[in-house]
Coordinates of all heavy atoms in Angstrom, one line a residue:
Chain A
I219 N 97.0 71.5 98.2 CA 98.4 71.4 98.4 C 98.7 70.5 99.6 O 99.6 69.7 99.5 CB 99.0 72.8 98.7 CG1 98.9 73.7 97.4 CG2 100.4 72.8 99.3 CD1 99.2 75.1 97.6
G220 N 97.9 70.5 100.6 CA 98.0 69.6 101.7 C 97.9 68.2 101.3 O 98.7 67.3 101.7
A221 N 96.9 67.9 100.4 CA 96.7 66.6 100.0 C 97.9 66.1 99.2 O 98.4 65.0 99.3 CB 95.4 66.5 99.1
L222 N 98.4 67.0 98.3 CA 99.6 66.6 97.5 C 100.8 66.3 98.4 O 101.5 65.3 98.2 CB 99.9 67.8 96.6 CG 101.1 67.6 95.7 CD1 100.8 66.6 94.7 CD2 101.5 69.0 95.0
M223 N 101.0 67.1 99.5 CA 102.1 66.8 100.3 C 101.9 65.5 101.1 O 102.9 64.8 101.3 CB 102.3 68.0 101.3 CG 102.7 69.3 100.6 SD 104.3 69.1 99.8 CE 104.1 70.3 98.4
E224 N 100.7 65.3 101.5 CA 100.4 64.0 102.3 C 100.6 62.8 101.3 O 101.2 61.8 101.8 CB 99.0 64.0 102.8 CG 98.6 62.8 103.6 CD 99.5 62.7 104.9 OE1 100.1 63.6 105.3 OE2 99.5 61.5 105.5
A225 N 100.2 63.0 100.1 CA 100.4 61.9 99.1 C 101.9 61.6 99.0 O 102.4 60.5 99.0 CB 99.8 62.2 97.8
R226 N 102.6 62.7 98.9 CA 104.1 62.6 98.7 C 104.7 61.8 99.9 O 105.5 60.9 99.7 CB 104.7 64.0 98.6 CG 106.1 64.1 98.6 CD 106.7 64.3 97.3 NE 108.0 63.8 97.2 CZ 109.1 64.6 97.3 NH1 109.0 65.9 97.5 NH2 110.3 64.1 97.2
R227 N 104.3 62.2 101.1 CA 104.8 61.6 102.3 C 104.5 60.1 102.3 O 105.4 59.3 102.8 CB 104.2 62.3 103.5 CG 104.9 62.0 104.8 CD 104.2 62.6 106.0 NE 102.9 61.9 106.3 CZ 102.8 60.8 106.9 NH1 103.8 60.1 107.3 NH2 101.6 60.2 107.1
R228 N 103.4 59.7 101.8 CA 103.0 58.3 101.9 C 103.5 57.6 100.6 O 103.1 56.4 100.4 CB 101.4 58.2 101.9 CG 100.8 58.7 103.2 CD 99.3 58.8 103.0 NE 98.7 59.0 104.3 CZ 98.0 58.1 105.0 NH1 97.7 57.0 104.4 NH2 97.5 58.4 106.1
L229 N 104.2 58.3 99.8 CA 104.7 57.6 98.6 C 103.6 57.1 97.7 O 103.7 56.1 97.0 CB 105.7 56.5 98.9 CG 106.9 56.9 99.8 CD1 107.7 55.7 100.2 CD2 107.7 58.0 99.2
I230 N 102.5 57.9 97.7 CA 101.4 57.6 96.8 C 101.8 58.5 95.6 O 101.9 59.7 95.7 CB 100.1 58.1 97.4 CG1 99.8 57.2 98.6 CG2 99.0 58.0 96.3 CD1 98.6 57.7 99.3
S231 N 101.9 57.9 94.4 CA 102.3 58.7 93.2 C 101.1 59.4 92.7 O 100.0 58.9 92.5 CB 102.9 57.8 92.2 OG 101.9 57.0 91.6
V232 N 101.3 60.7 92.4 CA 100.4 61.6 91.8 C 100.9 61.9 90.4 O 102.0 62.3 90.3 CB 100.2 62.9 92.6 CG1 99.3 63.9 91.9 CG2 99.7 62.6 94.0
P233 N 100.1 61.7 89.3 CA 98.7 61.4 89.3 C 98.4 59.9 89.1 O 97.2 59.6 89.1 CB 98.3 62.1 88.0 CG 99.5 62.0 87.1 CD 100.7 62.0 88.0
E234 N 99.4 59.0 89.1 CA 99.1 57.7 88.7 C 98.2 57.0 89.8 O 97.1 56.5 89.4 CB 100.5 56.9 88.6 CG 101.3 57.2 87.4 CD 102.0 58.5 87.5 OE1 102.1 59.1 88.7 OE2 102.4 59.1 86.5
Q235 N 98.6 57.0 91.0 CA 97.8 56.3 92.0 C 96.7 57.2 92.5 O 95.6 56.7 93.0 CB 98.6 55.9 93.2 CG 99.6 54.7 92.9 CD 100.5 54.5 94.1 OE1 101.6 55.0 94.2 NE2 100.0 53.6 95.0
L236 N 96.9 58.5 92.5 CA 95.9 59.4 93.0 C 95.9 60.7 92.2 O 96.9 61.4 92.0 CB 96.3 59.8 94.5 CG 95.3 60.7 95.2 CD1 94.0 60.0 95.5 CD2 95.9 61.3 96.4
G237 N 94.8 61.0 91.6 CA 94.6 62.3 90.9 C 94.1 63.3 91.9 O 93.3 63.0 92.8

Side-chain angles (χ1 to χ4, degrees):
Chain A
I219 291 170
L222 180 65
M223 293 298 148
E224 182 64 17
R226 172 101 205 266
R227 195 184 70 77
R228 292 170 169 249
L229 303 178
I230 296 171
S231 70
V232 175
E234 288 75 15
Q235 291 174 268
L236 183 73

